[in-house]
Every structure is written in C-alpha cells, then in structure tokens.
Amino acid sequence: MGAPRLRQPTPAVRGAGLEPGRLLAAVDAAVVYYRAQLAHADAPRAYLAERGLGVLVQREWPWRVGYAPPGWSALTGHLRAAGFTPEELTGAGLSARSRTGPDRLIDVFRDRVMFPVRDPAGHTVAFLGRAGPHAGDVPKYLNNPRTAIYNKSHLLFGLAEQQDRVAARWTPVLVEGPADVLAVWLSYSRSGRTGAVALAPCGTTLSDTQATILRELPGAARGLVTAFDADPAGRAAVDRAWQLLRQARCPGPLLAAEFRAGADPADLLRAPHGRAALRATLRRRAQPMLDTVVDHRLTRLVERHPRLLEDIDGRCAAVRALVPLLFEATNPQEAITVARRIVAHTGVGVDTVATIAIAHLEGSLRDLSWLGEDRPTG
C-alpha cells in the first residue's frame, strides 16, 4: 500500500481546548516509547555512534534521545492502547489523520532519531526528528507541528537540559541543530572547565523571541557566539542572527565561529581528539560577527559577479554594497574595524570608502527628510 496522504487539521493551533496535562502526558509517553525502541534499533544506534554521540544510547538523562520506528502507526497504536484519544494524539502533534481515511491515524514521525524538546519548566512538549543517513529524499529534520503546548519560535533546544551551565554563566553558542548541541555538551563533559553552552532554534531560523531569550541568559555578558557551517544556509543563519541579536542589544560582544564548508560541531567531534578540537575551535575561531557578515555579503557578490573586483568600477560597486554595514556597528571602534576590512577585501583606498560612506549617509538623511515632509496629494 502506498503512503497515505495527510489531512491537515483546520485549527491553527493543534490541541486547543484539550487538557494541557493530557497533552504533556501523551508526549512523555512517546518519549518512553521512543527510548525503548532505540535499545533495539541497530541502524540508529550505529548512526549515533558514528556521529560521536554513542554515549547517549546508554545514558538516558538529560537528553532522553530515542527512535521512531518505520511503521505507519506504531506509536499511535501503542498510545491508543494506553488510553489516549485520537484528539489528544493529534493535539499533541504525535499523530495525523490520513486523507485516504479520515478515521485513520498515522504517526507524524517515522524512522527518525528523536530529540525531545523541553519547555522552561522541564516538561517535554515536542520532538525534533532527524532522518538517518540512508533515509532517502526526505527532510533532514522534521519539526513537531505547533500545538497548544508547543510553539517552536518560543523555545531553544538544549536550554532546559543545561540549566547548570546556564546558571554558571557559560557563554551561549547558537548552533544549527540538536546533534551540534549535543556535540558541544559532550566536549565539555570531562573537561573540568567553564566553557560554551550550545543551543539551537527549534526550526530553520532564529526568531525574535529566541533572540531575546539568548540576550537575557546570564552568560550573554561574556558574549554570544554563532557556530554554523560555511555553506549558504550557514551564512544566511549567521546574517539573520546578527540582525536580530544586534537589535536585541546584547550585553556582551557578538561573535561568530565559522566552520569549514560541509563541517559542523558534530562533524568535528568525530575527528581525532575531537572534544578538545571542538573546544579550541569555538574559542580560537570566534571573530566579531559583523566582520563575518561583511565577508558573507562580499562572498555573495563575487559568486554572482566573478570578475567584480578586477577593475575599479567593480571594486567601488562592492564598496557601495558593503558600506551600509558600517552603520550597523555597535560602537565606533567596530565601525573602524569594518572599514578596514572593506579596504582589505576590495583593494580600494580608505578615502574611497570614506567618500562612499558619506554619500550613503547623506542619501539616508535625504530620505528621512523627505519622509518628514507633507507628501503631495493627487
């Protein structure tokens, strides 16, 4: 039989009107079920071991990593037998109704390594499901749908599990996904030193609420670090983080520790002496985030126009594209550093950068002046 098509529930938020305690109980029962499945699933256990996360198979707490089996309704059948209603299972985002049979429920997560997501009170409210290496053409990560107890833009993965490190004012590091959070966590598990506490958005991009949560962490006074791949998705994630975090007025410096293309913290963990190498990378490769954003913007320009920097007209065009970032600097010294970086990357003189910066500022002031005037009416 072919894959059943899913019929999306009509309410904007699943589980509205249901007892939150029952939804939490259903999700926690799913954690126990997924955890039991991992104990007998060779391929997911091997995958975790290959990623340097094999210790999580034997150690349940605090992460409680599990495995969703490939059957269409394995979890649904288990939880229905435990007394949960179809409305509670769909309301918790664990099951979905099939279009081919409205009364038929199937599992939302199938054949995935499961990472529970907790709220600030420590309750498991959702899951992030990671496809295995041989899963085929499916999304790498599948996020729990929004429910009455879960809004992905309001939570950071790993925050509830690392309250001891957060309270000790460890430096927050924003990473791409759960495996990276766990890699950084493991890299400090036996180091005996203060370090980085890794956190990840529960979706593909950082939200305003998540940026505020990061800014308010005790360790943010030491700085906030992003640590993403040096690929287009990673560069976009750093650029978005910069825009949100600078507007949130973080108490410490904003830094970026960029990994080489195709690598991430979980990849580095597998290398020889991986834990020490990961700690060193986060510590030594961190540079001002705005410097990284400048590099990213120029990289995109050159990718679109490979010969951009070969003549003076192209170099001046590059400067005009980069100069607005000068005015995003959080202090004068940072602006000076950005200006020097533009000079070094484009090969123009300091006077050229200054002239273009003044022209940009004058243009912005003219725009503001025009906005303040009475606009002509038809």
Side-chain angles (χ1 to χ4, degrees), residues 274-295:
R275 296 187 180 194
L278 179 51
R279 294 195 302 269
T281 298
L282 292 174
R283 184 172 65 252
R284 298 173 186 169
R285 296 194 61 178
Q287 67 175 13
M289 197 180 298
L290 184 53
D291 287 358
T292 302
V293 172
V294 171
D295 295 349

Side-chain angles (χ1 to χ4, degrees), residues 10 162 180 184 348:
T10 52
Q162 301 181 90
D180 299 322
V184 175
V348 303

Side-chain angles (χ1 to χ4, degrees), residues 48-323:
L48 289 170
E50 290 168 3
R51 297 283 287 179
L53 306 175
V55 65
L56 301 174
V57 175
Q58 303 302 325
R59 184 190 300 183
E60 178 173 0
W61 297 92
W63 301 100
R64 306 187 76 186
V65 175
Y67 173 64
W72 286 111
S73 56
L75 174 70
T76 299
H78 175 78
L79 295 184
R80 289 286 285 121
F84 292 98
T85 67
E87 292 73 23
E88 288 168 343
L89 296 183
T90 56
L94 301 172
S95 304
R97 298 186 184 277
S98 169
R99 288 182 180 177
T100 59
D103 295 330
R104 182 188 177 199
L105 292 185
I106 63 172
D107 296 349
V108 169
F109 298 98
R110 301 181 301 276
D111 192 19
R112 288 179 178 270
V113 176
M114 302 298 288
F115 299 96
V117 178
R118 296 192 196 180
D119 67 11
H123 300 126
T124 304
V125 294
F127 293 94
L128 297 174
R130 207 292 187 187
H134 308 297
D137 187 19
V138 296
K140 180 179 178 181
Y141 276 101
L142 183 62
N143 201 327
N144 207 101
R146 183 179 176 183
T147 70
I149 58 173
Y150 174 62
N151 184 337
K152 67 180 181 181
S153 66
H154 290 178
L155 297 176
L156 288 166
F157 178 83
L159 185 57
E161 291 85 352
Q162 301 181 90
Q163 282 301 307
D164 54 342
R165 297 183 179 188
V166 171
R169 306 180 68 84
W170 286 30
T171 303
V173 176
L174 187 67
V175 296
E176 180 180 350
D180 299 322
V181 170
L182 293 168
V184 175
W185 178 74
L186 283 171
S187 74
Y188 286 96
S189 64
R190 295 195 298 265
S191 69
R193 66 187 72 184
T194 301
V197 55
L199 305 164
C202 293
T204 55
T205 58
L206 188 71
S207 71
D208 291 322
T209 301
Q210 290 166 336
T212 299
I213 293 171
L214 286 168
R215 176 182 64 83
E216 294 176 350
L217 294 177
R222 297 174 178 266
L224 282 170
V225 184
T226 59
F228 296 105
D229 293 4
D231 58 15
R235 292 196 292 267
V238 174
D239 295 352
R240 176 168 175 77
W242 163 254
Q243 294 301 329
L244 291 180
L245 292 171
R246 76 180 182 88
Q247 294 170 16
R249 297 184 180 275
C250 294
L254 298 177
L255 306 171
E258 197 166 74
F259 291 80
R260 68 182 186 278
D264 55 30
D267 291 322
L268 192 56
L269 186 67
R270 295 181 294 172
H273 310 292
R275 296 187 180 194
L278 179 51
R279 294 195 302 269
T281 298
L282 292 174
R283 184 172 65 252
R284 298 173 186 169
R285 296 194 61 178
Q287 67 175 13
M289 197 180 298
L290 184 53
D291 287 358
T292 302
V293 172
V294 171
D295 295 349
H296 291 173
R297 184 169 295 187
L298 182 59
T299 296
R300 286 193 294 269
L301 287 170
V302 174
E303 286 175 347
R304 289 197 298 266
H305 310 285
R307 303 182 65 179
L308 180 68
L309 302 180
E310 292 183 4
D311 57 49
I312 187 61
D313 289 339
R315 290 196 289 271
C316 287
V319 173
R320 283 192 290 273
L322 297 175
V323 148

